[in-house]
């Protein structure tokens, strides 16, 4: 679907509620410089998945350079300018303040590992076998209590409801 501001494309993975989601997971393509859509009262966590880097100019002129698999959190109402010379793919987690919160941790898997938590496991790179099923980049598993093996990078997304 097009971005809220019409300057890009996003691919929704999962969300709670619509259109006023409590939380939302998506992938977005950024292939040219431009403004991010604003989301008042929403906290955002963005992780660069494909591409070497993505420079975000934040309010006050502070530039945050995103590198692959390093989550970066910022408020959704911030006016952010993205600058890239090559196409990138980003994984986004958005939570509405007062309704939910999230934590994103990226982790390299090399061999076998067990997971058990309330949230999502997102394959960002490589090829992994999850409970006997082969998954590749951009594949997502919800509420995993599972065995993972292979060589790759995952984002572990923990979601918490706020009372």
């Amino acid at each position: 679907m097009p971005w809220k501001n019409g300057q890009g494309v996003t691919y929704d993975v999962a969300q709670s509620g619509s259109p006023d989601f409590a939380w939302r997971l998506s992938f977005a393509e950024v292939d040219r410089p431009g403004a991010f859509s604003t989301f008042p009262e929403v906290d955002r966590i963005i992780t660069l998945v494909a591409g070497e880097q993505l420079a975000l100019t934040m309010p006050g002129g502070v530039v945050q350079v995103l590198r692959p698999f390093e989550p970066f959190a910022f408020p959704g109402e911030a006016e952010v300018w993205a600058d890239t010379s090559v196409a990138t793919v980003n994984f986004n987690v958005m939570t509405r303040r007062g309704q939910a919160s999230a934590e994103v941790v990226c982790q390299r898997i090399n061999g076998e590992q067990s997971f058990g938590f309330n949230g999502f496991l997102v394959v960002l790179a490589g090829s992994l076998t999850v409970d006997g099923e082969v998954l590749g980049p951009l594949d997502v598993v919800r509420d995993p209590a599972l065995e993972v093996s292979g060589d790759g990078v995952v984002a572990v997304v923990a979601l918490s409801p706020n009372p």
Side-chain angles (χ1 to χ4, degrees):
M1 71 180 345
W3 285 1
K4 190 169 111 177
N5 68 10
Q7 295 185 11
V9 177
T10 190
Y11 303 91
D12 284 344
V13 173
Q15 71 180 33
S16 170
S18 179
D20 294 327
F21 57 84
W23 54 264
R24 178 175 137 188
L25 280 63
S26 64
F27 291 98
E29 296 175 353
V30 178
D31 59 3
R32 64 185 178 275
F36 274 17
S37 300
T38 58
F39 288 87
E41 299 301 315
V42 170
D43 291 319
R44 299 177 71 165
I45 304 172
I46 183 172
T47 305
L48 181 63
V49 175
E52 291 182 23
Q53 69 179 31
L54 178 63
L56 302 181
T57 302
M58 307 301 295
V62 174
V63 176
Q64 176 70 40
V65 178
L66 303 183
R67 306 251 185 246
F69 318 129
E70 296 177 357
F72 174 67
F74 63 96
E77 58 272 7
E79 293 187 12
V80 177
W81 181 267
D83 190 14
T84 185
S85 59
V86 298
T88 65
V89 175
N90 306 290
F91 174 59
N92 299 287
V93 177
M94 292 191 249
T95 55
R96 191 163 310 279
R97 285 185 212 119
Q99 294 184 28
S101 59
E103 180 181 2
V104 177
V105 176
C106 292
Q107 190 172 332
R108 173 159 288 287
I109 306 293
N110 190 354
E112 295 183 7
Q113 187 159 344
S114 296
F115 289 91
F117 63 95
N118 181 22
F120 292 84
L121 185 76
V122 182
V123 180
L124 302 179
S127 177
L128 298 169
T129 301
V130 178
D131 284 349
E133 186 175 343
V134 177
L135 301 179
L138 313 186
D139 285 335
V140 179
V141 179
R142 184 169 187 179
D143 294 329
L146 40 84
E147 296 295 320
V148 178
S149 63
D151 185 22
V153 178
V154 298
V156 178
V157 181
L159 295 167
S160 301
N162 292 344

